[in-house]
Amino acid sequence: MARKPVQRTKHIPQRTCVGCRQVMAKRALIRIVRTPQGVQIDPTGKLAGRGAYVHEDRQCWERALKGALAHALKTELTEQERIVLTEYMQSLPEESHVA
C-alpha cells in the first residue's frame, strides 16, 4: 500500500515588535539594525548586525524611540540616527495593525 506524502507547513519566523511587544511574522515588521557604521533601517532584513523589529505604524515607533529600541540594540542612539528614524516614522501610517 502506497503511503501518502505528509503535507508540511512552511515555517514562518516570528519576531516581537519592540514598540508594542506583539509577536508577528518577521516579514510583517520593519528591521532596524546596529552595524559598525551606526543604526540604520534594513529593508532587506539581511544586513549583518544586531537587529530589532518594529511594526509599520507611528505608535509603535514612538514607543520604540523612547528607549525600547536602544535597549534592544544594546546601544545609545545618536542625535543623527534619531533624526533619520523619526523622519522614517513620519512617513508611516498612524495605525496599520490591530494591537
Side-chain angles (χ1 to χ4, degrees):
M1 189 175 353
R3 289 179 53 171
K4 275 188 170 180
V6 176
Q7 186 68 27
R8 293 195 180 225
T9 56
K10 184 152 172 57
H11 173 71
I12 300 169
Q14 301 287 299
R15 297 293 182 266
T16 302
C17 171
V18 296
C20 67
R21 309 299 300 159
Q22 184 179 357
V23 177
M24 288 189 67
K26 180 179 172 181
R27 292 223 176 250
L29 301 168
I30 300 167
R31 183 171 188 250
I32 300 157
V33 64
R34 184 192 76 205
T35 64
Q37 294 78 35
V39 174
Q40 59 194 63
I41 296 163
D42 179 12
T44 65
K46 295 182 180 178
L47 285 177
R50 183 168 185 87
Y53 294 83
V54 185
H55 276 114
E56 199 172 270
D57 78 313
R58 285 190 203 163
Q59 288 179 333
C60 287
W61 278 75
E62 287 167 0
R63 280 189 234 127
L65 288 173
K66 283 181 182 170
L69 181 62
H71 182 77
L73 294 174
K74 296 186 178 179
T75 187
E76 283 294 319
L77 295 176
T78 65
E79 195 58 40
Q80 183 60 38
E81 291 166 346
R82 200 171 283 281
I83 290 168
V84 169
L85 293 172
T86 303
E87 285 174 359
Y88 184 82
M89 177 185 74
Q90 298 301 329
S91 71
L92 296 173
E94 286 295 325
E95 189 170 339
S96 65
H97 76 285
V98 179

